[in-house]
């Protein structure tokens, strides 16, 4: 038990941070994420009970089927299967939402096969200003030797990449899969013929806890454009784009529109040294 938890009976740092995460949606400047909900408006529980060091989202192996260059999209319903929508937030150690985080998803199709030639059931997206993301896909099929899972890479601007996997509750193979980690279970509901799930990624990014009340925040200082090279923020870059930054050359790995904090040295998921 830490000092915060021992100081006031019934009110802990964990409960306060969780309360901050589930207040109703507020204007953008508040910086407080709203409770994830289904498309029909039904609220879904927020995944982390707190955002301490002990609550960091665990990393897992990349596996043999990752490939760079996935398309930018939030929907990858590329074949038959039970429809699945995954919603959640990307947050830091103080439960602060992380805007502009890159999330790259890939998974098996309904038959348990991965597309290693094209981009079926592969896609990346960027968390919004409140750290939110939404993925529309299908429930993946069973891959030999594994339980049901979805792969993902998550990277906050200027921070290392987290590679991990998401799991489904009550799957028979969870107990026999050597990689399965209950800390990576999504919250899943059956809604009609589809499923709705939530999961919040807690990254090792320090910050200030969000406040339940709307408070204005100062705008970040702009990144010096170019860094002495051709890379610029707020520019569209295609796969294979060639830029320079800080005297070094880089090639684009994922199509995206650049933002301050996404300088090539800080985003190895987007840029590869040439």
């Amino acid at each position: 038990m830490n000092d915060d938890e021992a100081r006031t009976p019934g009110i802990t740092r964990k409960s306060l941070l969780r309360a901050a995460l589930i207040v109703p949606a507020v204007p953008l400047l508040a910086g407080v994420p709203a409770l994830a909900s289904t498309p029909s408006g039904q609220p879904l529980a927020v995944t982390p009970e707190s955002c301490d060091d002990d609550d960091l989202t665990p990393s897992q192996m990349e596996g043999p089927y990752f490939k760079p260059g996935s398309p930018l999209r939030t929907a990858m319903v590329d074949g038959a299967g039970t429809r699945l929508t995954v919603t959640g937030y990307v947050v830091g150690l103080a439960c602060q939402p992380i805007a502009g985080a890159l999330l790259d998803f890939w998974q098996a199709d309904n038959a348990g096969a991965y597309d290693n030639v094209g981009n079926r059931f592969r896609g990346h997206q960027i968390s919004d200003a409140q750290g939110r993301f939404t993925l529309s896909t299908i429930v993946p099929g069973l891959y030999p030797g594994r339980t049901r899972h979805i792969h993902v890479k998550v990277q906050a601007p200027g921070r290392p990449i987290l590679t991990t996997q998401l799991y489904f509750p009550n799957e028979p193979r969870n107990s026999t899969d050597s990689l399965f980690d209950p800390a990576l279970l999504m919250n899943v509901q059956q809604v009609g013929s589809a499923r709705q799930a939530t999961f919040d990624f807690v990254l090792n990014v320090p910050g200030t806890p969000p406040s339940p009340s709307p408070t204005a925040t100062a705008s970040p200082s702009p990144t010096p454009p170019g860094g002495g090279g051709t890379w610029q923020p707020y520019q569209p870059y295609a796969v294979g784009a060639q830029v320079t930054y800080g005297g070094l050359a880089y090639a684009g790995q994922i199509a995206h529109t650049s933002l301050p904090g996404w300088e090539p040295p800080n985003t190895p998921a987007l840029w590869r040294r040439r």
Side-chain angles (χ1 to χ4, degrees), residues 128-152:
D128 70 11
Q130 291 184 314
R132 295 176 295 198
F133 71 90
T134 298
L135 174 68
S136 298
T137 182
I138 66 165
V139 175
L142 288 170
Y143 175 77
R146 293 296 316 279
T147 190
R148 221 176 292 275
H149 63 282
I150 297 174
H151 293 270
V152 59

Side-chain angles (χ1 to χ4, degrees), residues 168-174 185:
F168 294 77
N170 304 317
E171 286 288 331
R173 291 192 186 182
N174 286 351
L185 280 168

